[in-house]
Amino acid sequence: MSTDVPSLEQTLAKISTLANASLQETFSLPPEAYTSEPLHELERKKLFQKEWLCAGRTNSLKKAGDYFCFELDSQPVFVIRQKNNQFAAFANVCRHRMMTLLEGKGRCKRIVCPYHAWTYGADGNLVAAPHMDVRPNFDKSELSLHPIRMEIWHGWIYLTLSSEVESVASLLSDLAPLVDLYEMEHYVQIIEEDHVWNTNWKQLTENFMEGYHLPVAHKATVGGFFPVEATQFSESEPSPGFTYQFFEKTEDAPVGTAHADNTSLTGKQRVTSILPTIFPSHMYMLAPDHLWYLSLQPKGPDKVRIRYGAALAPEVLAASDDPEKLIAETTKFLATVNEEDRVVVEGIQRGANAPLSSGGPLCWLERENHEFTQFLARKLCD
Ligand code: FES
Ligand SMILES: [Fe+2]
């Protein structure tokens, strides 16, 4: 067996071959797809500096001045709720000497740079710059924060560094009718956290896209509630912007079905959960009573920052005798499920770094993984 590291061209040729094979004949990505520095650089350039990335949900920013930070590849950004309750996104970098302005999340009336106190409004305009008035022709109006292209879709906040990428509404137009009636934009945010895991971002995307591991890796938590044979896939042509699977629960399932007070969902939708993956890196499970999601920010071939969140349908919280207890229990349960995923996606990354590893044949339950390979081939291999 050769231990030569494949070149970027060889890796791309393998991805292309796998994308062109049928699901019955294809394999998972080769190990170098998860470890290669040159491929990581190409993904940064062609995916994470170009595509729409999800920074979070509008429901996390409830009042004027509420903000959270995010990164589009190496560009720090923040999203902030305006006085008129609209949302805006800006480069999180001071126009004086490039200090990052905000950290994490919070609420503010003004954005004050921690270096020399240049001060910006929530609309991004520079409103104060101490000791600068003696400089001739100093014009604050020329020094607003750089706006970031943003689009809100069903309560999700998508950002991009590209001025050219097609709108989210257009990319996800075929997804809209499948999720409209859930009214997920009204689901009440209960968790939003960032974590860093030691794995390649694609391991996590692929892990989300297949339910094959649920009865095994999650046998202590959700595994027993997911008969994997019940997994269903779309019968229409794959969309270039997303893929999804869905499944139905039995009406007596403890979670994942519509609350009696939910009047918008009817028939099978009351027991149906849908799991879209918005390429490249936004995934969520939308159930009639709750929502949880991941948005990924690669930090090298072996490291990924995960924005992870969850929300509950408003009628579920309204009907609860003890909403705080419900939130605490849900948070704890989902943290356990997440930990089960961390163990496997870090484990397969160690496997990808091992010299005797190779990709293996895919199962029918890994159909979306094949669609993801095809997405990668379209974006990276031309
Ligand atoms: S870098 Fe922000 S005020 Fe100087
Ligand atoms: Fe999982």
Side-chain angles (χ1 to χ4, degrees):
M1 177 169 293
S2 165
T3 53
D4 289 349
V5 177
S7 68
L8 178 61
E9 289 67 32
Q10 288 169 323
T11 305
L12 292 175
K14 281 190 204 170
I15 292 174
S16 186
T17 303
L18 292 168
N20 289 328
S22 69
L23 175 59
Q24 287 77 17
E25 291 174 329
T26 200
F27 291 79
S28 59
L29 292 172
E32 61 271 22
Y34 305 99
T35 59
S36 155
E37 277 286 352
L39 184 67
H40 170 65
E41 288 305 318
L42 189 70
E43 289 171 349
R44 289 183 60 197
K45 193 163 136 226
K46 294 205 169 179
L47 301 178
F48 291 91
Q49 295 168 9
K50 286 227 168 117
E51 300 289 320
W52 289 102
L53 306 180
C54 181
R57 300 181 64 236
T58 54
N59 199 277
S60 301
L61 304 174
K62 291 190 186 335
K63 299 216 162 123
D66 281 357
Y67 66 85
F68 56 60
C69 300
F70 195 66
E71 283 179 21
L72 302 172
D73 190 54
S74 55
Q75 174 65 57
V77 298
F78 68 93
V79 181
I80 187 163
R81 191 162 187 143
Q82 306 289 291
K83 275 198 200 120
N84 63 5
N85 281 322
Q86 299 299 302
F87 298 86
F90 298 102
N92 187 13
V93 177
C94 184
R95 293 296 308 274
H96 177 219
R97 275 179 40 219
M98 298 178 284
M99 178 66 188
T100 45
L101 294 162
L102 295 171
E103 295 288 336
K105 56 188 162 186
R107 182 176 300 159
C108 63
K109 281 209 174 91
R110 297 272 167 92
I111 298 143
V112 183
C113 179
Y115 201 2
H116 313 95
W118 282 28
T119 300
Y120 303 85
D123 57 5
N125 290 333
L126 180 64
V127 293
H131 309 293
M132 292 301 293
D133 49 357
V134 294
R135 181 183 163 100
N137 302 322
F138 181 74
D139 184 353
K140 290 204 282 287
S141 71
E142 291 175 350
L143 293 162
S144 300
L145 297 176
H146 293 298
I148 299 291
R149 189 176 168 203
M150 179 186 73
E151 196 170 324
I152 293 172
W153 190 90
H154 290 255
W156 297 108
I157 300 171
Y158 289 100
L159 306 174
T160 181
L161 293 174
S162 167
S163 55
E164 283 154 24
V165 64
E166 189 180 340
S167 78
V168 175
S170 159
L171 276 166
L172 301 186
S173 59
D174 292 341
L175 183 60
L178 302 169
V179 298
D180 270 346
L181 289 178
Y182 290 83
E183 299 179 354
M184 64 179 150
E185 60 274 30
H186 300 310
Y187 282 24
V188 181
Q189 193 74 21
I190 60 165
I191 306 170
E192 189 157 79
E193 298 170 357
D194 288 349
H195 299 273
V196 176
W197 287 4
N198 295 316
T199 193
N200 182 276
W201 70 278
K202 297 188 293 300
Q203 305 277 28
L204 207 42
T205 307
E206 292 174 328
N207 177 65
F208 178 86
M209 292 193 296
E210 52 91 352
Y212 193 18
H213 72 280
L214 287 167
V216 189
H218 296 295
K219 61 177 176 293
T221 54
V222 292
F225 302 114
F226 286 87
V228 288
E229 321 72 58
T231 307
Q232 300 182 64
F233 298 100
S234 165
E235 286 178 5
S236 36
E237 273 295 293
S239 160
F242 72 93
T243 178
Y244 70 96
Q245 59 181 282
F246 60 101
F247 59 84
E248 290 167 27
K249 290 209 159 175
T250 54
E251 277 175 26
D252 56 355
V255 289
T257 62
H259 190 275
D261 296 341
N262 177 322
T263 52
S264 56
L265 292 172
T266 56
K268 279 189 175 177
Q269 266 193 316
R270 295 187 70 81
V271 293
T272 300
S273 297
I274 177 165
L275 292 85
T277 296
I278 316 303
F279 297 136
S281 57
H282 178 215
M283 294 137 255
Y284 58 94
M285 186 180 87
L286 174 61
D289 59 344
H290 71 279
L291 166 72
W292 73 264
Y293 60 91
L294 302 172
S295 179
L296 310 179
Q297 300 167 286
K299 294 290 158 197
D302 275 331
K303 215 171 263 304
V304 59
R305 182 188 291 160
I306 301 155
R307 178 148 294 180
Y308 150 67
L312 295 175
E315 63 275 10
V316 172
L317 274 173
S320 170
D321 296 336
D322 190 345
E324 277 182 26
K325 187 167 167 227
L326 175 65
I327 290 170
E329 285 174 359
T330 308
T331 302
K332 193 170 165 210
F333 181 75
L334 290 175
T336 310
V337 178
N338 251 356
E339 179 59 15
E340 291 168 337
D341 279 319
R342 188 189 64 75
V343 169
V344 290
V345 297
E346 293 193 345
I348 49 180
Q349 186 65 12
R350 281 197 299 282
N353 275 293
L356 298 181
S357 297
S358 58
L362 290 184
C363 170
W364 70 271
L365 286 160
E366 295 168 305
R367 176 173 136 169
E368 287 182 75
N369 298 45
H370 188 221
E371 287 175 27
F372 182 54
T373 301
Q374 291 168 330
F375 164 78
L376 294 172
R378 279 198 303 278
K379 294 289 175 179
L380 303 176
C381 296
D382 56 4

